Every structure is written in C-alpha cells, then in structure tokens.
Amino acid sequence: MDISRVDARAHLSRRSGISILPHLSQYRPAFLWIDREPDLCCDDCPSGRGGWGGRKMQALFAATTLIVATLLGLTANASAGSLEPTCTGFKDLQLPGSDLEVASTEYISQAPPHCLVRGAFERRKGADGKPYEIRFSIALPDAWSGQFLVQGGGGLNGTVQPPAGNVAAGGKTALARGFAVISHDSGHQGEVWDGSFKADQIATLNFAGWSVEKVAAAGKALVSRYYGRSAHHSYFAGCSTGGREAMASAQRFPLIFDGVIAGAPAMRTSRSNMSLAAKNVAMNSISPTGKDGLPDRSLAFTDKDRSLVLGGLLKSCDKLDGVEDGMIGNPLACRFDPSSLVCKGGKTDECLSADQVRVVAETFSPTAGASGRPAYPAFPYDTGVMSVTDAIPGLMRFDDRRNRQFNNHALTFDVDDAVEKADIDDPQQRLINADQWTDLSSFAAEGRKIIFFHGMSDPWFSANDTVDFFERMKKAAGDRFKTDDWARLYLVAGMSHCRGGPAALDQFDLLTALVDWVEHGKPPEGVTAWGTAIPGRTRPLCPYPSHAHYKSDGATDDGANFECRP
C-alpha cells in the first residue's frame, strides 16, 4: 500500500474550486489510492474493480478508512459500532480548498428521516458582470444505504429541485431507498427557459456538463464528512436535460458514476428544435387565421380529425403485439399510411383533406434538406401524438400557450440554413450537445453501466434519435466491449416526454434494475411497467430491440401474460 500518493493528489482543482480529494471517491476506498496487487484479487470480484470485492480487501478497507477519516478530521459516533450523524455542525462546515458554504440545514423527521443541506460553491463574477455560483441541495438519510445519487436537471436548469431521485424509480425514490441524493442548478440561476447565462463561458461549460462533475465531487465529500465513510457506489439519474447530463457524464467523465440512467435525452436540441420548427411551418400552411391575424395551429385539426388519425393508427398497429388493447406495444414495427384517411370527395368528419394528410405525413417523416438527406429522424407513430390533455401536448398539437419555445408563425422554412446555423454558427450548442461522442470504452472497461429510456410519444425529442445514438454507440464499441454487457435501451409505448400519455404505462423501476446490474452482476431484462392512464394494467418493459408480446392466453391486463420478443 502506497499512502504517499494521497499527498500527491491532495492539490486543489483550479477548475472547480473543490479539493481534488473528493474525486478519488470514484475508487474504493474514497480518498486513498492503493496499489492493486494481484494476490488481493478474488474469483468473484466485480468486473472492472481490480479486486475490491474480496474479503481481504474488506478488512483492508475498514482499516484504511479509519486512518483516512482520522487524517481528515472526520467525526462520527461509532459507539457500539453505530453511526448517529446529525445536522448540527454542518452550518459551519468547511471543505479544504473549497469555497463551499452551507446556507441552511434542516432535519426532516417525516419518512424517510434525513438531513437536508442547502449551499453553494464556485462563487464568482461572470464575464457578463453577473454573479454566479453552483447551488445545491443534498438529502442525507438516517438509514443510509451507502449509495449516492446525483439527480439530473430539466429545461435550461437554473433552479435547485428537491433532492429525491424519482427518475425511473417506480414510485419509490432513491432517497426513500436510503440513497444520499444531491440536486443542483448547474451553475446559474434563472427561469427554466432563460438562456442569458450563455453570455458567460464558465456558466455555459457548467451547463454543458462540467457542473455534474463538480457537484458529484462536492456531494461525495459531504457524504464522507457526514457519515464518516464514503459511498460504496455512485449513480446518476435524469430525464430530458438530465438525460443529456447523464450521457455527457458517461462520455466525458467515465469514472465518476458506477451506473447512469439517461431518460429522453435532450442530446441535440439544436436539431430537434429545428425539426419541430419545420413541422410547425407545415402546420401553419393549413392553419386558420386566429384573432391576432396569425396562423392558429391548434385549429388545423379538430378533435374529430385527431380521433381519425389515432383510429387509423391503432387499426394499422395495435395488434402487432398480439392483442388489441389501445396500445401500440410493438412500435418499431408500426407502419401507418396517412393517405388511407383522405377524403374521396369533399371534406367531412369521417375523413381528412388532402392538405391535412400531407401535414400528418410530413409531421412523422424525417426532416430533410434539399439533398434529401435527413437532418433529424422521424418521430414515431404512437398513441400519445394526438394528446391535448397532457402537460406537454402531443406532436400533432403545437399549442404556443403551452409550448412557448415553439412560438413560430412562419410559412416558409429552409432546413439547410437552419442546420448550418445550428451546427456551424453556434459552437456553444455543439459543446452542449451529447449526440456525437459514441466512444464509451473507458466507461465500459471499468464495469460501469448505462440504461437509456425514451417515450415513443415524446413530442419534443424523437425516440428514434435515441435509437440511432444507441446503434452508433454499439457500432463504436465493436467486438471489444459487447454492448449487452454494459448498456440497455427501453422504449416506452405511449409515454410522452419523461412521463404522461393517454395510454402510457409510465411508471417503472429502472433504478433497482441498474443497482442489481452494477452491484450484483444481474443484467436487466423485462421490467414491470404500470401507470395511472390505464389502472390495473401492467406490461413488461423490454430492452431494445425486443417488445412485450402477448402469449395468447390469460388476462391481457396482466403483464405476466406477456413476454419480451425480438
């Protein structure tokens, strides 16, 4: 054991303002580097851990943790072998080499009992003259499981959400399971769609993903200080912007997290927004003029028209999973021809006009430039595309009142020009995007795991784009790292953006699946899904490219009567 390496790594990180010591918590044990001698390995050591799973290492871990805790001045009540951490003392907490300050501490007695700590670090004056800092909130449960989770953000971030860890957790949050959970604002403060922070270089870099590394380091340090020992495993879970942050973490900082959940990743908003703008313009061209003299897209299709499209879609694709149940359980096999709905004569409530059919077809086609090459993939046909009741309306209702970022009343659109502006004229966005880097070789080699999920009715980011990335990632891995050993993708039929959908089973526990995979070597397969949209119904959520198929016997609302098929 070479503990001299501790001092060699104890310099401060100029980039984050956080002591570099917390970064070592990605290894076992935290804050200490130990030469991995071959004789310390065991037959059942977890993959990529260099022998940390052996009994010899457990004894060595206990001894070295005590030594390091003493050296760092960590305190814990270890009487009778128990820990009794409290919130007291955290208000005046100082981390060596960091400007981290605790703003408040609060003991929450409701289940699960935990210490809630709010604070900030990396305070500075930005290039735009505005003050910046990374604000965070961390929940430290009394009954700590030894696990740590960073919670992803949403939109353009700017606010600190309650640290619970509810993404893909199936109704039981990470905090309720005993995880220590931290959330943050990614280094700027503002309303969810306020992009003014991009006037500052560091704020933009933090939003691009660097804040996740910094917050993970700070969170691991706080966990170690509070409990007197480091987390034995660290995770990240997020959806939308949080999904992009999850991808960026695995791509750019592959040793921070043992397991990552990336939901509906906003991996290239420059392209997805471009595609939606093009579809807006197509619908504008057939939209009646509103009271303000502008095209009103909400009037382009009546409720009856939308029902016709949904009915035609279900007629073509509902039975592809072996049962007719109002869900499209095999969405990748769905082939729907909107021209089947066109009126043979004049427009009636029983058919669509030729212009309406053209817009439906264009809405669900790839967005292509003058050469015909797709600039963004098609959106899937699915049951939620006609939704008008969800918080985020379906793809066929571009309602500016609830989709402010899609406020577009133009009648023409140049895809090639929009792509050039997105890919060439906006270098910041190219850095923020997470769709290009497919090399996760270090992540995979270290035994880390990643699970993607995406709703097939997502009206903001096409699930087909996530499928495309997954396939490119698989190709990049080649024969060196079989993707099935470290990555999964789950496509959720009927689900809108991260949640919701009129026929969606949008509750599922991928967090347990990830933990079982990371900590127990059990690869995830079918995961039970349910939702309030169809009470009493369950289905297995199947890993791509399989789908849940009815076995031809038993109640169709019982997921036990379905199996995952290619």
Coordinates of all heavy atoms in Angstrom, one line a residue, residues 321-323 549-554 556 561-563 565:
D321 N -48.6 -6.5 -31.3 CA -48.0 -7.2 -30.1 C -48.9 -8.4 -29.7 O -48.7 -8.9 -28.6 CB -47.9 -6.2 -28.9 CG -49.3 -5.6 -28.5 OD1 -50.3 -5.8 -29.3 OD2 -49.3 -4.9 -27.5
G322 N -49.8 -8.8 -30.6 CA -50.6 -10.0 -30.3 C -51.9 -9.7 -29.6 O -52.7 -10.7 -29.4
V323 N -52.2 -8.5 -29.3 CA -53.5 -8.2 -28.7 C -54.0 -6.8 -29.0 O -53.1 -5.9 -29.2 CB -53.4 -8.3 -27.1 CG1 -52.4 -7.3 -26.6 CG2 -54.7 -8.2 -26.4
H549 N -44.9 -9.0 -25.9 CA -45.8 -9.6 -26.8 C -46.7 -10.6 -26.0 O -46.3 -11.3 -25.1 CB -45.1 -10.5 -27.9 CG -45.9 -10.8 -29.1 ND1 -45.9 -10.0 -30.2 CD2 -46.7 -11.8 -29.3 CE1 -46.7 -10.5 -31.1 NE2 -47.2 -11.7 -30.6
Y550 N -48.0 -10.5 -26.3 CA -49.0 -11.4 -25.6 C -48.8 -12.8 -25.9 O -48.5 -13.2 -27.1 CB -50.4 -10.9 -26.1 CG -51.5 -11.6 -25.4 CD1 -51.6 -11.7 -24.0 CD2 -52.6 -12.2 -26.1 CE1 -52.6 -12.4 -23.4 CE2 -53.6 -12.9 -25.5 CZ -53.7 -12.9 -24.1 OH -54.7 -13.6 -23.5
K551 N -48.8 -13.7 -24.9 CA -48.6 -15.1 -25.1 C -49.8 -15.9 -25.6 O -49.8 -17.1 -25.7 CB -48.2 -15.7 -23.7 CG -46.9 -15.2 -23.1 CD -46.6 -15.8 -21.8 CE -45.4 -15.3 -21.1 NZ -45.2 -15.9 -19.8
S552 N -50.9 -15.1 -25.9 CA -52.1 -15.7 -26.4 C -53.0 -16.4 -25.4 O -53.9 -17.2 -25.7 CB -51.8 -16.7 -27.6 OG -51.1 -16.0 -28.6
D553 N -52.7 -16.2 -24.1 CA -53.5 -16.8 -23.0 C -53.5 -16.0 -21.8 O -52.4 -15.5 -21.4 CB -53.0 -18.3 -22.8 CG -53.9 -19.0 -21.8 OD1 -55.2 -18.8 -21.9 OD2 -53.4 -19.8 -21.0
G554 N -54.6 -15.9 -21.1 CA -54.6 -15.1 -19.9 C -55.1 -13.7 -20.0 O -55.3 -13.2 -21.1
T556 N -55.4 -9.9 -20.4 CA -54.5 -9.0 -21.2 C -54.0 -7.8 -20.4 O -53.1 -7.1 -20.9 CB -55.2 -8.5 -22.5 OG1 -56.4 -7.8 -22.1 CG2 -55.5 -9.7 -23.4
N561 N -48.7 -12.3 -18.5 CA -49.1 -13.0 -19.7 C -48.4 -12.5 -21.0 O -48.9 -12.8 -22.1 CB -50.6 -13.0 -19.8 CG -51.3 -13.6 -18.7 OD1 -50.8 -14.7 -18.2 ND2 -52.3 -13.0 -18.2
F562 N -47.4 -11.6 -20.8 CA -46.6 -11.1 -22.0 C -45.2 -11.5 -21.8 O -44.7 -11.8 -20.7 CB -46.7 -9.6 -22.0 CG -48.1 -9.1 -22.4 CD1 -49.2 -9.1 -21.6 CD2 -48.2 -8.5 -23.7 CE1 -50.4 -8.7 -22.0 CE2 -49.5 -8.0 -24.1 CZ -50.5 -8.1 -23.2
E563 N -44.5 -11.6 -22.9 CA -43.0 -11.9 -22.9 C -42.3 -11.0 -23.8 O -42.9 -10.4 -24.8 CB -42.8 -13.4 -23.3 CG -43.3 -13.7 -24.7 CD -43.2 -15.1 -25.1 OE1 -42.7 -15.9 -24.2 OE2 -43.6 -15.5 -26.2
R565 N -40.1 -10.3 -26.8 CA -39.8 -10.9 -28.1 C -39.0 -10.0 -29.0 O -39.3 -8.8 -28.9 CB -41.0 -11.4 -28.8 CG -41.8 -12.5 -28.2 CD -42.9 -13.0 -29.1 NE -43.8 -14.0 -28.5 CZ -44.8 -14.5 -29.1 NH1 -45.2 -14.2 -30.3 NH2 -45.6 -15.4 -28.4

